[in-house]
């Protein structure tokens, strides 16, 4: 009985260490021209998973029967003192399967939800966990984690509007041959015409 338990536990760790491919968290004000002090925003999560490890169902990933996740939500990771009412109205990380490819071994999921926050809310939310897919030449042999972060800024612009942030969505994973230069196109769009769009890259792994 003890041996069986240990094998089951080890097997679960191996599976959970290799099912997530990456994703994005985007948001936009539902009514950018609203003058109300209560701002409705639409938060959209898009994630990529390994298929068929994760099943194409609703409520990804907990709809896959071996997943042992508790109720996971997007958490505040910075400027939490100005998160407004988010702490009492957190967003679940659960999404719904939108497509999958058996040949590529990839499943995509997405979900959008509306939440109401106070005007001038300014904080960072993130989806963090430790079940990243295996990486070649990884910096660590320990199960690598991830942190997908988004800044929610409801401070009004000089023109009185709530800014709609630019959106960038790249298919994950992207494959690069070791010791070869590769070009990865990152499309970016912004509905606020005339805004200056800039990219900033992390300097650490």
């Amino acid at each position: 009985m003890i041996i069986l338990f240990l094998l089951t536990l080890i097997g679960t760790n191996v599976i959970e260490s290799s099912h997530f491919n990456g994703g994005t968290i985007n948001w936009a004000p539902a009514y950018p021209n609203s003058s109300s002090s209560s701002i409705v925003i639409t938060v959209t999560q898009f994630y990529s998973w390994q298929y068929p490890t994760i099943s194409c169902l609703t409520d990804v990933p907990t709809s896959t029967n071996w997943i042992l996740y508790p109720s996971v939500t997007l958490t505040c990771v910075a400027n939490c003192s100005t998160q407004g009412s988010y702490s009492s109205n957190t967003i679940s990380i659960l999404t719904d399967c939108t497509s999958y490819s058996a040949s590529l071994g990839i499943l995509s999921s997405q979900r959008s939800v509306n939440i109401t926050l106070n005007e001038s809310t300014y904080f960072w939310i993130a989806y963090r966990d430790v079940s990243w897919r295996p990486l070649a030449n990884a910096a660590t042999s320990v199960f690598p984690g991830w942190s997908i972060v988004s800044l929610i800024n409801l401070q009004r612009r000089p023109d009185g509007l709530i800014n709609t942030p630019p959106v960038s969505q790249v298919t994950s994973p992207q494959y690069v041959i070791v010791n070869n230069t590769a070009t990865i196109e990152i499309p970016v769009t912004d509905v606020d015409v005339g805004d200056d769009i800039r990219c900033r890259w992390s300097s650490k792994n």
Side-chain angles (χ1 to χ4, degrees):
M1 180 64 71
I2 295 177
I3 294 176
L4 177 60
F5 173 77
L6 290 175
L7 288 176
T8 302
L9 180 61
I10 293 172
T12 300
N13 281 338
V14 170
I15 293 175
E16 288 196 347
S17 69
S18 60
H19 64 267
F20 188 69
N21 290 333
T24 59
I25 303 171
N26 302 317
W27 69 273
Y31 312 103
N33 298 318
S34 173
S35 59
S36 173
S37 59
S38 296
I39 309 298
V40 179
I41 66 172
T42 302
V43 178
T44 300
Q45 299 173 79
F46 172 87
Y47 301 125
S48 175
W49 312 84
Q50 288 197 293
Y51 179 85
T53 305
I54 298 297
S55 304
C56 187
L57 299 167
T58 58
D59 291 337
V60 174
T62 58
S63 50
T64 299
N65 57 17
W66 58 262
I67 291 286
L68 303 178
Y69 281 23
S71 179
V72 179
T73 61
L74 299 179
T75 56
C76 178
V77 294
N79 295 95
C80 298
S81 62
T82 54
Q83 66 177 317
S85 57
Y86 180 73
S87 60
S88 60
N89 189 28
T90 56
I91 300 172
S92 169
I93 59 89
L94 298 182
T95 50
D96 303 314
C97 178
T98 56
S99 64
Y100 70 91
S101 170
S103 59
L104 296 177
I106 295 175
L107 179 150
S108 298
S109 67
Q110 181 175 315
R111 181 179 291 180
S112 296
V113 297
N114 286 351
I115 61 171
T116 301
L117 298 172
N118 301 329
E119 183 183 30
S120 298
T121 292
Y122 183 98
F123 69 107
W124 301 79
I125 56 173
Y127 176 19
R128 290 178 168 177
D129 213 319
V130 290
S131 303
W132 191 264
R133 62 177 288 132
L135 301 175
N137 300 311
T140 175
S141 59
V142 180
F143 298 142
W146 74 80
S147 181
I148 300 175
V149 182
S150 182
L151 168 63
I152 295 181
N153 180 4
L154 301 185
Q155 298 172 339
R156 292 193 180 274
R157 297 157 42 125
D159 58 10
L161 301 179
I162 298 296
N163 184 63
T164 300
V167 175
S168 176
Q169 189 162 297
V170 180
T171 302
S172 182
Q174 295 282 329
Y175 295 96
V176 177
I177 300 175
V178 176
N179 296 325
N180 282 263
T181 300
T183 299
I184 300 175
E185 294 187 3
I186 302 178
V188 180
T189 58
D190 193 331
V191 299
D192 292 329
V193 178
D195 279 7
D196 185 17
I197 302 176
R198 303 181 184 183
C199 295
R200 181 173 57 188
W201 310 109
S202 171
S203 60
K204 296 182 179 180
N205 292 332

